[in-house]
Amino acid sequence: MGNSLPQLSVHRSLRASKTKSPYPSLKKSRSLREYARNTNNCFTSNNSHNRRNITFSRPQSLPPTDAEIIDIHALRCRMSTSNVDEGEHQLLKQLDYIHSCVRKDKGLFGKMTENLQNKHIFSNDEPENTHILDQTPDEYRMDYQSIYLQTFDGEFIHAYWIYQSGDVNDTVTLLYFHGAGGNISHRLEVLQLFYENLQCNILVIDYRGFGKSTGTPSELGLYIDAQTAYDYLIYKQKILPENIIVLGTSLGASVAIQLVSDPSNRVKVAIFENAFISVPEVAKYFLTYAKSVLGVTKSIGFLYLFDSLAKVG
């Protein structure tokens, strides 16, 4: 999934929704509707008012030791503008929405083709030695900090916080989600163009299983990683939503669409470069078996949907 000129740009309103539930009602496949009705998430909570049961696990992977670790869940609770309980409730709603946008069941066909789908969608082990970072931002004359963001489900996401001198809100901040394959060190030449021409701050992350980040990639995991990155800008760097630009490329465009489809994640502008409608729609042009599968139902057999069209509005 390579780069191309931007195909779609969406401006996000800064006004909060006036409806009772701000979360969009998505047109999903039958498997997703059944999942949303019947499944219990892997998270648990004692709050009887929540439709789902959600909690926050401790680290699933060993903490890295080569850079600062920032626990985003703890940070959100401390920095909540109202109180800890309200901040926790808002986070639970956001995670509930993320879970409602992915499928839980793999299905027999999905289990049979899991390795193939992971390889084609994420390519997180390509190219060779992709878990070794080749370059750092200072080689491109950019001031930066190497950090790890601890996600709500206990993974450690490696990121570069690249900053301009002066107050962070004196300029815009770019939240960049890269495409499949490679790691953040392979995107520095592109980021330098934004850094020098826009004079902006930049946060770029490696999704779980990419680069030096822990864990294994999945659709749910990438969505949580994106929320974690956004929360770092809001709660740690205290950047105003109207100063945040989200840019996603290829696979990262689907991640960006998911992030800004949540009305709680307000931004100045969202740009989706080389986006695709969904994994099943892309697959039918490249995989022979996908055409017959799609003749039965859109999503059967696919572990990951990245169903962007339902959310892009």
Side-chain angles (χ1 to χ4, degrees):
M1 298 180 180
N3 294 336
S4 72
L5 292 176
Q7 296 178 345
L8 182 61
S9 177
V10 176
H11 182 271
R12 294 283 302 168
S13 171
L14 294 176
R15 274 181 253 174
S17 174
K18 296 181 180 179
T19 60
K20 184 175 180 181
S21 175
Y23 292 92
S25 178
L26 307 180
K27 294 182 179 179
K28 305 169 186 174
S29 64
R30 184 177 64 181
S31 62
L32 276 182
R33 290 199 303 269
E34 291 174 349
Y35 162 69
R37 284 198 304 264
N38 302 326
T39 188
N40 286 323
N41 287 339
C42 59
F43 302 112
T44 60
S45 173
N46 295 324
N47 189 342
S48 60
H49 298 290
N50 292 332
R51 180 171 61 85
R52 297 175 191 275
N53 296 320
I54 301 179
T55 173
F56 307 99
S57 63
R58 286 297 85 200
Q60 299 178 0
S61 304
L62 291 176
T65 58
D66 58 323
E68 179 186 5
I69 297 175
I70 301 168
D71 187 336
I72 300 299
H73 175 220
L75 184 65
R76 279 189 64 145
C77 292
R78 289 199 307 268
M79 300 301 295
S80 175
T81 55
S82 52
N83 56 63
V84 173
D85 290 338
E86 180 60 30
E88 189 94 347
H89 179 66
Q90 176 60 35
L91 177 56
L92 293 177
K93 288 199 302 183
Q94 289 186 292
L95 292 176
D96 182 67
Y97 173 63
I98 290 174
H99 274 261
S100 73
C101 294
V102 301
R103 63 179 304 171
K104 180 182 178 181
D105 59 303
K106 292 184 178 181
L108 178 60
F109 195 81
K111 291 178 181 179
M112 293 171 57
T113 61
E114 183 170 5
N115 291 336
L116 177 65
Q117 292 188 48
N118 286 333
K119 176 180 175 61
H120 280 286
I121 295 172
F122 302 116
S123 304
N124 61 304
D125 290 322
E126 300 174 2
E128 188 178 0
N129 299 323
T130 192
H131 297 287
I132 299 175
L133 273 60
D134 297 330
Q135 307 167 94
T136 58
D138 57 3
E139 297 177 47
Y140 289 84
R141 303 182 303 280
M142 296 186 289
D143 295 327
Y144 82 105
Q145 182 184 7
S146 179
I147 55 176
Y148 287 94
L149 308 179
Q150 184 175 333
T151 67
F152 313 114
D153 59 341
E155 297 299 347
F156 299 93
I157 304 305
H158 185 238
Y160 283 149
W161 166 240
I162 302 171
Y163 53 87
Q164 301 283 347
S165 60
D167 187 274
V168 289
N169 281 301
D170 287 343
T171 184
V172 295
T173 294
L174 181 70
L175 176 53
Y176 185 83
F177 298 116
H178 65 69
N183 60 54
I184 55 179
S185 72
H186 301 139
R187 274 76 185 186
L188 293 177
E189 187 174 359
V190 172
L191 296 181
Q192 183 187 33
L193 297 176
F194 291 107
Y195 185 79
E196 294 182 349
N197 290 284
L198 291 183
Q199 294 291 302
C200 63
N201 309 304
I202 302 170
L203 178 65
V204 56
I205 67 169
D206 264 331
Y207 317 113
R208 60 189 62 202
F210 284 74
K212 295 166 65 177
S213 297
T214 65
T216 303
S218 67
E219 182 176 6
L220 174 65
L222 265 62
Y223 292 165
I224 292 177
D225 297 344
Q227 184 65 54
T228 303
Y230 177 86
D231 289 346
Y232 169 82
L233 297 180
I234 297 294
Y235 294 98
K236 178 65 174 178
Q237 294 299 335
K238 299 182 176 61
I239 296 173
L240 301 174
E242 56 264 32
N243 289 332
I244 296 176
I245 297 175
V246 173
L247 171 59
T249 300
S250 191
L251 177 64
S254 295
V255 175
I257 289 171
Q258 168 68 29
L259 178 70
V260 300
S261 71
D262 183 339
S264 300
N265 298 326
R266 298 179 296 143
V267 299
K268 179 182 180 67
V269 172
I271 303 171
F272 313 134
E273 179 184 0
N274 200 23
F276 53 88
I277 294 175
S278 69
V279 168
E281 289 296 326
V282 172
K284 70 181 182 181
Y285 292 103
F286 296 100
L287 304 177
T288 304
Y289 73 83
K291 293 183 179 180
S292 58
V293 168
L294 288 169
V296 179
T297 178
K298 176 181 178 181
S299 62
I300 187 172
F302 290 93
L303 302 179
Y304 314 111
L305 300 181
F306 289 98
D307 195 1
S308 298
L309 188 60
K311 295 174 280 191
V312 75

